[in-house]
């Protein structure tokens, strides 16, 4: 498994931002921009809470195992691998969504200056 590099996340963020800005500009020339569903930020917040809870639980179990505490539950290697893949996927999605919101936000900010 390859380590996810920050440069990949920055590149994805920038590409999504530019494409979102261009798409918003094109869409605005045709008509009005679509509204963001109310549930979108709520769903993203719920996903972030689930990720944080999973990460904290896994970190506590790894710390207990490393410190050789009595009765510490070990972490199954398959669970650890799933957590890494889940973390990488969520980082990629977060960069993509942040770039999309950022690109649209820049368009709206520039449109407000006119």
């Amino acid at each position: 498994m390859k380590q996810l590099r920050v440069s990949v996340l920055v590149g994805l963020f920038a590409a999504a931002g530019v494409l979102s800005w261009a798409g918003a500009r094109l869409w605005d020339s045709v008509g009005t921009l679509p509204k963001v569903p109310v549930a979108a930020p709520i769903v993203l917040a719920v996903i972030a809470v689930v990720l944080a809870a999973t990460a904290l639980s896994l970190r506590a179990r790894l710390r207990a195992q490393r410190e050789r505490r009595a009765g510490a539950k070990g972490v199954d290697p398959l669970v650890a691998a799933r957590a890494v893949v889940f973390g990488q996927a969520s980082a990629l999605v977060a960069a993509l969504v942040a770039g999309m919101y950022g690109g649209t936000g820049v368009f709206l900010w520039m449109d407000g200056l006119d």
Side-chain angles (χ1 to χ4, degrees), residues 42-84:
I42 296 169
V43 168
L44 291 175
V46 168
I47 291 171
V49 167
V50 169
L51 283 172
T54 304
L56 291 174
S57 171
L58 189 61
R59 186 174 82 174
R61 289 176 70 182
L62 287 171
R63 182 179 289 150
Q65 187 179 10
R66 185 177 44 235
E67 294 173 357
R68 302 185 194 281
R69 293 185 195 157
K73 287 184 176 180
V75 178
D76 184 36
L78 190 57
V79 171
R82 285 179 185 159
V84 169

Side-chain angles (χ1 to χ4, degrees), residues 23-41:
R25 190 174 166 132
L26 177 66
W27 196 307
D28 190 52
S29 68
V30 175
T32 61
L33 288 172
K35 298 197 184 303
V36 175
V38 174

